[in-house]
Amino acid sequence: MKRIGVFVCHCGINIAETVDVKRVAEEVLKMPGVVYTQDYIYMCSDPGQALVRKKIKEEKLDAVIIAACSPNLHESTFRAAAEEAGLNPWQCEIANIREQCSWIHSNRKKATEKAIKIVGTIVEKSRLNESLEPIPVLIKKKALVIGGGIAGIQSALDIADSGYKVILVEKESSIGGHMAQLSETFPTLDCSQCILTPKMVAAGKHQNIELMTYSEIEEVSGYVGNFNVKIRRKAPFVDWDKCTGCGLCMEKCPAKVPSVFDRELTTHGAIYVPFPQAVPNKPVIDKDSCIYFKTGKCRLCEKVCEINAIDFEQEDRFVEEEIGAIIVATGYDTLPIVDLAEYGAGDIPDVIDGLAFERLLSASGPTVGEVKRPSDGMVPKEVVFVQCAGSRDPERYRPYCSKICCMYTTKHALLYKHRVHDGQPYIFYIDIRTGGKGYEEFYHNAEEEEGIIYLRGKVAKIFRDGDKTVVWGTDTLTGRNVEIEADLVVLATAVIPTDSTAELVKKLRIQTGPNGFLAEAHPKLRPVESINSGFFLAGAAQGPKDIPETVAQASAAACKVISLFSRDHLEQDPAIAWVDEDLCNGCQTCVPVCPYDAREYDEEKNIVIVNEALCEGCGSCVAACPSGATQMRNLSDSQIKSMITASLGGK
Amino acid sequence: MSENMGLAPPRNPPIKLTRKKVRAGFKKRVIELSGQPVDACYQCGNCSSGCPLAQEMSILPNRIIRLVQLGQKDDIIHNDTIWICASCFQCTVRCPKGIDIQAVMDTLRQIALEEGVDHFGPDQIDPEHAAEVPQPGLVGVYRKLST
Amino acid sequence: MAKVAYYPGCALKERSSHLDRSARDATVKLGFELDELDTWTCCGAVPPVSKERIMNLIAPSRILKNVRDSGSDVLITICDFCYNTLKRTNYSIRTDEIIRKRINTFLADDTPEREYLEKDNSQWVDYKGEVKVIHLMEYLRDELGYKQITENLKRSLKGLKLAPYYGCVMLRPQNEIQLDDPENPSIIEDFISALDAQPVKYPYRTECCGSYLSISSPDASTRLCYRILNSAINKGADAIVVSCPLCFYNLDSRQKAIAEAYQDFKPIPIFYFTQLLSVALGVEYGRQGFEKHYVDVTPILDKIGTSSGKGDEE
Ligand SMILES: Cc1cc2nc3c(=O)[nH]c(=O)nc-3n(C[C@H](O)[C@H](O)[C@H](O)COP(=O)(O)OP(=O)(O)OC[C@H]3O[C@@H](n4cnc5c(N)ncnc54)[C@H](O)[C@@H]3O)c2cc1C
Ligand code: SF4
Ligand code: SF4
Ligand code: SF4
Ligand code: SF4
């Protein structure tokens, strides 16, 4: 019979306060196969682990059980310790007497009884456990980065610089994301283009980066190290290999399309590049706006293009790639003003959002950096900024803080003052949140030196009165309501996840949190990875973030990928399903129940086999198999039966 | 809207903010006279927390500063706070933004006096008392609280 | 005997003459003489707030210039208001060039000066804040040294529990006054220790007594004084030590109103620091002006004994 050792942890007082750990150790020692038991205050500590290692050798143990916290926390810790002492790691089991016992009970006597039963169950399992070997899986050392904002660009550059290949997929025709729209950036007021465009160019030229702009993810299958990705390359109706980017076509195109990049403050033709510094600097034809595609007549662009790069016959293409790891960096959007009924629902021309104001401030924007209001081009002298427009409003809009608006609104007011010296900015706010390096100082400077009036209160209503826009707010600091007849109102609209992210996560089968942002595996300890292995997160797609934080996370995600790629192969947990070929009759009942597509029908043998790299060991197939051909390693039917008996207190 | 002749003004009308109000006139004068960067005040309230006379005031010192920021002259000069402040400098030594609140209070008293809000005259002091109080008290009270 | 230029100020000449007298007596015992300026005017009691009111700075500036011209570089004051006004005026002159120029223009316009100027233009020297304005207590601490006091004690204040009261303008505004830490000062405590008495620390020692509000809002001042006195009493103080005539007046004579308003209140004697110094150095009780006090000080005097071996002059 196996010689089993059981180690009972006090977890400080977390367990010991509710469970009589000494008694657990005593009782468990009476169970068949258990030859040694010991309790200890912190099993996971260095001396705790040393104790386990020492006793494995001294007592010649064949298996150990650690009765402690959830296996999520320390299973790998103790398996490593067991392995160090010469034991097969799968001969180490965890009995969870904290989350499943001490934390949820208060009656010491009953809790102790329950703890003894929990350990007893694991003893039963342990007796029949086999020694297993991890399954090696090869890694395709090529990364996919989805989203070409500053996050995606940074991740791609970092991975590419370390020598691995990267495909950077961007749905628009140029990379750059929102940062390309910004004028100057807090807290240092660097010109956004000046710090971004060199990175865009670097990404465009890097020999290890393959840019796929105007492209979207169509399908993803496979698993960490071995994804198969199908990418749709949308037809730009321009042969980019031929096109020199001369721009003649764009000059001649008679169509007028509101520019998304310029927040609809300007228009461009149906054939366009979103902004002059685009990478790649190649136009696309927007099929929905193109006169030729709508009416069958026009083709002006084709006529003016001297090298015949226009190609109306182009169709979407698909490419397939084998990928080892995926970084999702699809960024954010902002809440449309239309959703904010009390702020005019988008009907007041001089109520704009922060990104539109960025365009008005930008030297390369529609007004060449002069602040002019949309309705009549007047230089506004009284400008009201409204923070938390749709943020921190759990009843009607978004419950969370959008995090960046406090800082960019102060920046807006400041830049406005730099451009319109006799203008007056007012900022309505609920709180000013400036927790970043140099941020509080930035805010203080704005308040002290620039004469910006901060008003503590949320704006209730904005309406049009003649050419003025009336703002009804309050100032809780004086206890007085405030009314301002503004020339221009800028709303710091909530940062929201993009619609395309929602579609994408379905294809990737990764999770989002309650607010629609990508979910991280652990909010503190694993903030840049998805719970699904092989997927990493970067930038505002994971939650509202400014550029410094975005870049930090992007580099961190890249690091995770590089660390993955630095190994020759991955080790897959062998405690997964296997098929007894003699018993399987090829009925395929199990195939559709597997949530991970790990069941494959082998026609030749008329059996189903397990793709070991995909199987997560969930057990659905075991339950579904009518002939008992499918079993879980180290969780066989006979193990489960004796565990149930033990848990009911039987012998 | 036609001018209302009969009704009393509402009790708490909204402050109508304009560029002029928050940059020129009263507010500008307070800043110039006192030399204090009142816009730097971020309303932490430290000045009020420690003001020994706060319990006697109907508006606390931090709110006085706030009203200056918004150019609300009338709310300030027709209020008792500036007359109750004893110029003890407690607020001044503690302001995290380096604002000499006492100097602002002095300025506001001066402006109020200029506007004819004479708060304390020689006739208001009882002669017996006047004969006893040390001179700095008498000189101080007249300098600070009357024209 | 060494002489140090001394500005008494209005209060000390009349209503608070006991502060002046005890200071003069004590300093003589310590080997130097307070040398009152030949001519002086009221300093104005409070410095003006704005640069517009430059006229308010003329009087204190003239006092300071006269001190310099008479060849002194140190000026002692005792009244906290005079100290504050003179020191801050000096600070403005030292740090603000515009104020310095404007003041000197005014000073030069004074008739005697003008004659002076006409005689010999080169004789005029702008006053640039050369004089060091110094509080008597500061002089005792920094120039003389408290040790000198302890070594010359004639009466023993041992066992007396004395609570210092700083009030406002002796310490604040800190950047201009620089006498001590405005939140946790120790200059009076150390003085009390030098007298061999026991200093009592209490939270209200730097809280305002109401200052001149005593005249315009007497009730407010009464409430403040009650808080201060009560805080000292609760910490076991036998008496309170002050340096300012207005503090003295408020803390002492307000006790009448306090007793009427607060049943539980028990009176506590108030002393000028100079009175205790003078007494400890052996000057007779009769010269201290105790009759001017509202609260009877005899219970405290009864506790004062003679130092072992040093003898009593009385
Ligand atoms: C008004 C305003 C002012 C700001 N000012 C500042 C500032 O001064 N300083 C500062 O630090 N931060 C500022 N920010 C924040 C800054 O914009 C963000 O931190 C930064 O842009 C986040 O970068 P990102 O790459 O994560 O997202 P994004 O910039 O949104 O980039 C995401 C990219 O992914 C692409 N994409 C989306 N979905 C898909 C898909 N399914 N497939 C392929 N591609 C996809 C998008 O087209 C986009 O190019 C400001 C934000 C706003 C709204
Ligand atoms: S064919 Fe379409 S893209 Fe070309 S010029 Fe006409 S409208 Fe513009
Ligand atoms: S960052 Fe500031 S403005 Fe934006 S939601 Fe948060 S608190 Fe509101
Ligand atoms: S202490 Fe200074 S910053 Fe704080 S509220 Fe008062 S004046 Fe404003
Ligand atoms: S100076 Fe005036 S406002 Fe400031 S703490 Fe003293 S009494 Fe209060």
Side-chain angles (χ1 to χ4, degrees):
Chain A
M1 195 189 269
K2 254 186 180 173
R3 295 174 60 81
I4 301 172
V6 178
F7 299 83
V8 188
C9 184
H10 300 204
C11 193
I13 55 163
N14 273 292
I15 295 170
E17 194 178 42
T18 324
V19 170
D20 182 346
V21 284
K22 295 245 184 272
R23 208 182 136 232
V24 174
E26 273 165 35
E27 290 300 315
V28 170
L29 191 56
K30 298 175 190 158
M31 294 176 184
V34 179
V35 296
Y36 177 81
T37 63
Q38 175 70 55
D39 65 287
Y40 187 72
I41 178 151
Y42 289 113
M43 236 34 251
C44 59
S45 68
D46 222 23
Q49 292 186 43
L51 176 74
V52 176
R53 290 197 301 264
K54 186 165 153 241
K55 290 298 164 189
I56 289 175
K57 286 182 186 147
E58 279 180 13
E59 304 289 332
K60 301 193 170 51
L61 301 176
D62 304 311
V64 290
I65 295 168
I66 319 291
C69 54
S70 156
N72 272 339
L73 276 130
H74 283 313
E75 185 179 77
S76 55
T77 313
F78 290 114
R79 284 191 170 169
E83 190 170 22
E84 233 182 286
L87 218 57
N88 180 288
W90 282 268
Q91 296 296 357
C92 170
E93 289 283 352
I94 305 286
N96 181 352
I97 58 167
R98 193 178 76 173
E99 284 83 348
Q100 292 181 354
C101 188
S102 71
W103 274 2
I104 48 168
H105 299 300
S106 51
N107 182 318
R108 192 171 161 85
K109 192 160 172 281
K110 286 186 180 168
T112 305
E113 291 307 319
K114 177 170 168 181
I116 294 166
K117 278 184 194 160
I118 291 174
V119 180
T121 348
I122 303 299
V123 170
E124 285 307 313
K125 175 175 194 294
S126 190
R127 273 155 24 103
L128 297 173
N129 269 351
E130 295 167 34
S131 293
L132 303 174
E133 291 306 323
I135 305 161
V137 185
L138 282 174
I139 307 170
K140 300 270 158 43
K141 295 186 181 178
K142 190 179 203 180
L144 168 70
V145 176
I146 311 172
I150 181 61
I153 293 172
Q154 184 65 41
S155 292
L157 284 172
D158 286 344
I159 298 170
D161 280 347
S162 65
Y164 300 110
K165 297 280 178 196
V166 184
I167 296 176
L168 177 54
V169 171
E170 164 59 53
K171 71 177 168 41
E172 304 298 334
S173 65
S174 169
I175 55 172
H178 285 106
M179 189 173 164
Q181 291 175 286
L182 307 182
S183 53
E184 291 159 38
T185 50
F186 66 75
T188 45
L189 298 185
D190 310 85
C191 137
S192 189
Q193 293 274 358
C194 313
I195 55 176
L196 173 67
T197 38
K199 282 196 183 274
M200 291 166 60
V201 173
K205 287 204 179 131
H206 205 295
Q207 57 174 11
N208 284 339
I209 298 179
E210 190 181 345
L211 266 194
M212 294 194 186
T213 63
Y214 216 44
S215 301
E216 275 169 49
I217 303 304
E218 192 69 14
E219 227 178 86
V220 176
S221 59
Y223 47 90
V224 54
N226 292 277
F227 293 108
N228 289 308
V229 180
K230 190 170 167 194
I231 301 162
R232 176 194 291 268
R233 315 260 350 231
K234 292 182 282 187
F237 304 108
V238 176
D239 185 338
W240 281 3
D241 292 335
K242 284 191 193 163
C243 172
T244 60
C246 75
L248 269 178
C249 51
M250 298 187 280
E251 275 172 40
K252 294 289 182 244
C253 174
K256 291 253 175 296
V257 188
S259 159
V260 172
F261 184 81
D262 273 342
R263 302 300 279 182
E264 310 201 342
L265 295 168
T266 52
T267 59
H268 52 58
I271 184 164
Y272 71 102
V273 293
F275 55 104
Q277 300 76 13
V279 172
N281 202 337
K282 305 286 164 93
V284 294
I285 294 177
D286 168 10
K287 204 174 173 186
D288 298 334
S289 316
C290 169
I291 299 168
Y292 166 70
F293 277 113
K294 286 198 290 195
T295 66
K297 287 204 190 78
C298 183
R299 299 183 80 126
L300 251 178
C301 49
E302 193 179 45
K303 280 174 213 130
V304 296
C305 181
E306 283 158 8
I307 42 162
N308 295 325
I310 310 287
D311 178 3
F312 291 103
E313 311 309 318
Q314 253 184 13
E315 278 177 17
D316 291 1
R317 288 186 296 126
F318 295 93
V319 291
E320 295 205 22
E321 293 284 345
E322 291 185 335
I323 296 292
I326 300 176
I327 292 180
V328 192
T330 48
Y332 68 97
D333 268 330
T334 55
L335 191 72
I337 301 182
V338 187
D339 288 2
L340 296 160
E342 69 271 39
Y343 296 162
D347 291 336
I348 309 172
D350 294 331
V351 177
I352 61 174
D353 67 10
L355 284 170
F357 198 67
E358 291 285 341
R359 297 313 299 148
L360 288 182
L361 291 169
S362 170
S364 58
T367 54
V368 220
E370 251 195 273
V371 181
K372 291 179 178 167
R373 67 181 190 182
S375 66
D376 57 4
M378 165 209 179
V379 176
K381 293 296 165 70
E382 310 260 9
V383 180
V384 174
F385 296 89
V386 179
Q387 290 190 188
C388 296
S391 300
R392 305 178 66 193
D393 188 336
E395 281 303 311
R396 296 178 306 161
Y397 301 108
R398 305 294 160 132
Y400 50 85
C401 167
S402 293
K403 193 166 185 183
I404 55 172
C405 348
C406 283
M407 280 299 288
Y408 80 60
T409 301
T410 288
K411 174 190 79 174
H412 283 170
L414 201 106
L415 294 177
Y416 164 71
K417 278 289 286 185
H418 290 179
R419 291 179 180 47
V420 185
H421 301 299
D422 59 342
Q424 179 60 50
Y426 308 87
I427 297 179
F428 282 98
Y429 67 96
I430 306 179
D431 295 292
I432 294 289
R433 300 181 167 183
T434 52
K437 206 172 184 176
Y439 289 11
E440 180 73 1
E441 295 89 327
F442 182 81
Y443 156 57
H444 280 192
N445 171 62
E447 203 178 32
E448 288 168 29
E449 309 294 333
E450 308 289 343
I452 299 162
I453 297 290
Y454 284 82
L455 295 155
R456 202 213 157 272
K458 187 147 187 193
V459 166
K461 181 170 169 158
I462 299 172
F463 59 93
R464 192 80 169 154
D465 184 10
D467 70 340
K468 292 287 186 185
T469 302
V470 182
V471 179
W472 279 356
T474 195
D475 176 53
T476 61
L477 300 174
T478 50
R480 300 282 301 276
N481 277 354
V482 171
E483 192 175 311
I484 301 173
E485 292 189 351
D487 300 321
L488 180 69
V489 177
V490 182
L491 305 178
T493 45
V495 170
I496 59 173
T498 63
D499 291 344
S500 68
T501 302
E503 284 163 37
L504 184 67
V505 295
K506 279 186 221 146
K507 292 176 190 160
L508 304 181
R509 277 167 302 172
I510 59 174
Q511 271 77 49
T512 52
N515 297 315
F517 292 104
L518 300 176
E520 59 282 350
H522 188 285
K524 279 163 279 189
L525 301 179
R526 294 173 68 195
V528 303
E529 45 201 305
S530 162
I531 193 91
N532 304 51
S533 38
F535 293 94
F536 302 92
L537 321 173
Q542 185 250 351
K545 262 182 212 72
D546 56 21
I547 298 163
E549 243 187 298
T550 296
V551 171
Q553 197 188 21
S555 288
C559 248
K560 288 276 172 191
V561 172
I562 296 165
S563 121
L564 181 70
F565 286 2
S566 69
R567 284 180 265 171
D568 291 333
H569 57 77
L570 288 172
E571 289 195 341
Q572 169 85 0
D573 188 345
I576 53 172
W578 65 283
V579 178
D580 185 334
E581 298 193 4
D582 295 337
L583 291 181
C584 176
N585 59 18
C587 75
Q588 297 174 49
T589 313
C590 55
V591 176
V593 298
C594 175
Y596 302 96
D597 290 340
R599 311 289 294 186
E600 283 162 26
Y601 177 60
D602 181 335
E603 262 174 82
E604 222 167 278
K605 292 190 185 161
N606 187 32
I607 55 163
V608 166
I609 54 170
V610 181
N611 182 332
E612 296 194 325
L614 283 182
C615 174
E616 291 279 336
C618 73
S620 305
C621 52
V622 182
C625 178
S627 41
T630 289
Q631 292 284 327
M632 290 294 287
R633 291 212 175 87
N634 280 355
L635 215 54
S636 62
D637 283 355
S638 43
Q639 273 174 307
I640 291 176
K641 274 178 206 146
S642 49
M643 284 167 79
I644 293 172
T645 314
S647 74
L648 295 172
K651 292 265 150 66
Chain B
M1 234 183 280
S2 61
E3 193 63 19
N4 148 30
M5 305 296 286
L7 291 178
R11 191 185 290 269
N12 194 1
I15 299 174
K16 301 222 172 180
L17 284 186
T18 60
R19 257 183 312 160
K20 211 171 145 242
K21 190 157 202 171
V22 298
R23 310 245 305 258
F26 169 70
K27 176 172 172 186
K28 194 163 164 230
R29 189 156 154 73
V30 175
I31 292 172
E32 280 172 6
L33 283 180
S34 67
Q36 296 308 309
V38 292
D39 276 328
C41 166
Y42 59 175
Q43 288 290 298
C44 69
N46 201 349
C47 47
S48 299
S49 318
C51 172
L53 272 311
Q55 58 176 2
E56 313 284 339
M57 297 170 170
S58 47
I59 294 183
L60 295 181
N62 75 297
R63 187 167 285 191
I64 292 286
I65 303 291
R66 180 67 183 155
L67 288 165
V68 173
Q69 288 181 332
L70 300 189
Q72 291 298 102
K73 181 175 78 183
D74 289 342
D75 289 356
I76 296 170
I77 67 173
H78 297 300
N79 190 277
D80 55 13
T81 298
I82 56 174
W83 309 117
I84 288 169
C85 161
S87 295
C88 76
F89 296 96
Q90 192 66 267
C91 48
T92 297
V93 295
R94 287 186 182 140
C95 173
K97 300 303 289 296
I99 299 169
D100 183 348
I101 297 104
Q102 193 288 139
V104 176
M105 291 288 187
D106 260 348
T107 305
L108 295 170
R109 285 187 278 262
Q110 180 180 325
I111 290 174
L113 293 172
E114 282 166 12
E115 301 263 332
V117 192
D118 196 3
H119 183 70
F120 196 77
D123 49 320
Q124 278 167 272
I125 177 173
D126 101 71
E128 214 173 289
H129 200 170
E132 273 181 8
V133 180
Q135 287 85 336
L138 286 172
V139 181
V141 80
Y142 291 132
R143 276 214 162 166
K144 298 251 180 191
L145 309 188
S146 66
T147 35
Chain C
M1 196 178 285
K3 291 181 172 187
V4 192
Y6 166 53
Y7 174 82
C10 324
L12 273 73
K13 276 320 237 190
E14 192 213 348
R15 294 180 190 174
S16 315
S17 55
H18 46 322
L19 172 53
D20 178 68
R21 163 106 69 101
S22 53
R24 287 174 192 267
D25 285 351
T27 50
V28 168
K29 291 270 176 202
L30 290 169
F32 66 100
E33 194 181 316
L34 294 175
D35 184 17
E36 183 173 339
L37 304 179
D38 291 342
T39 53
W40 55 266
T41 56
C42 170
C43 65
V46 286
V49 50
S50 66
K51 294 181 183 164
E52 246 182 29
R53 297 231 162 160
I54 192 97
M55 286 313 291
N56 293 7
L57 284 175
I58 300 300
S61 303
R62 187 184 298 116
I63 295 167
L64 291 164
K65 179 180 170 293
N66 288 343
V67 173
R68 185 206 57 187
D69 290 348
S70 70
S72 295
D73 51 4
V74 169
L75 176 66
I76 288 188
T77 64
I78 307 178
C79 163
D80 290 355
F81 273 84
C82 303
Y83 173 64
N84 185 277
T85 305
L86 290 168
K87 192 153 187 184
R88 293 182 66 207
T89 303
N90 217 29
Y91 182 86
S92 297
I93 292 171
R94 281 183 189 182
T95 54
D96 190 326
E97 206 184 317
I98 297 169
I99 289 197
R100 180 161 70 235
K101 292 220 166 99
R102 289 182 64 193
I103 283 179
N104 277 288
T105 312
F106 275 110
L107 291 181
D109 258 0
D110 286 357
T111 331
E113 304 289 2
R114 192 178 290 144
E115 283 164 10
Y116 191 54
L117 269 177
E118 274 161 10
K119 267 188 238 142
D120 182 357
N121 207 10
S122 66
Q123 289 292 307
W124 176 265
V125 185
D126 269 7
Y127 179 65
K128 299 199 191 73
E130 294 92 333
V131 174
K132 190 176 175 196
V133 178
I134 190 162
H135 196 282
L136 176 59
M137 185 131 31
E138 195 179 7
Y139 190 90
L140 297 177
R141 181 188 66 181
D142 302 340
E143 308 291 327
L144 183 79
Y146 281 158
K147 232 177 101 206
Q148 286 287 323
I149 297 178
T150 316
E151 283 168 5
N152 285 298
L153 293 178
K154 294 285 173 339
R155 289 200 185 92
S156 170
L157 305 193
K158 222 183 184 73
L160 266 192
K161 289 181 174 172
L162 301 176
Y165 176 66
Y166 288 90
C168 45
V169 291
M170 184 182 188
L171 299 172
R172 304 190 287 258
Q174 153 75 356
N175 55 345
E176 298 179 35
I177 301 294
Q178 303 275 356
L179 176 68
D180 206 341
D181 184 331
E183 301 287 3
N184 188 20
S186 61
I187 183 168
I188 311 186
E189 279 85 347
D190 295 343
F191 171 80
I192 291 169
S193 301
L195 294 184
D196 219 8
Q198 184 186 336
V200 175
K201 268 201 182 181
Y202 62 111
Y204 281 84
R205 68 203 159 114
T206 56
E207 294 298 320
C208 175
C209 65
S211 183
Y212 52 78
L213 290 189
S214 180
I215 298 162
S216 54
S217 312
D219 288 353
S221 180
T222 303
R223 283 190 275 271
L224 294 180
C225 290
Y226 171 67
R227 291 204 305 206
I228 295 161
L229 297 173
N230 222 27
S231 166
I233 292 167
N234 287 340
K235 291 278 177 182
D238 298 321
I240 287 175
V241 182
V242 303
S243 70
C244 168
L246 201 50
C247 299
F248 179 88
Y249 173 78
N250 282 343
L251 292 183
D252 184 53
S253 57
R254 290 242 141 258
Q255 292 196 34
K256 181 161 184 262
I258 293 173
E260 283 161 16
Y262 302 93
Q263 260 83 51
D264 63 331
F265 183 73
K266 295 205 186 60
I268 178 166
I270 314 295
F271 288 98
Y272 282 121
F273 75 105
T274 50
Q275 291 175 311
L276 291 171
L277 179 63
S278 168
V279 162
L281 294 173
V283 180
E284 59 268 37
Y285 290 161
R287 286 179 61 83
Q288 308 300 345
F290 289 137
E291 69 285 355
K292 288 194 171 200
H293 292 218
Y294 171 75
V295 179
D296 181 16
V297 299
T298 33
I300 304 297
L301 299 182
D302 289 347
K303 288 191 192 170
I304 297 179
T306 50
S307 269
S308 49
K310 285 185 186 162
D312 194 339
E313 291 192 5
E314 264 184 305

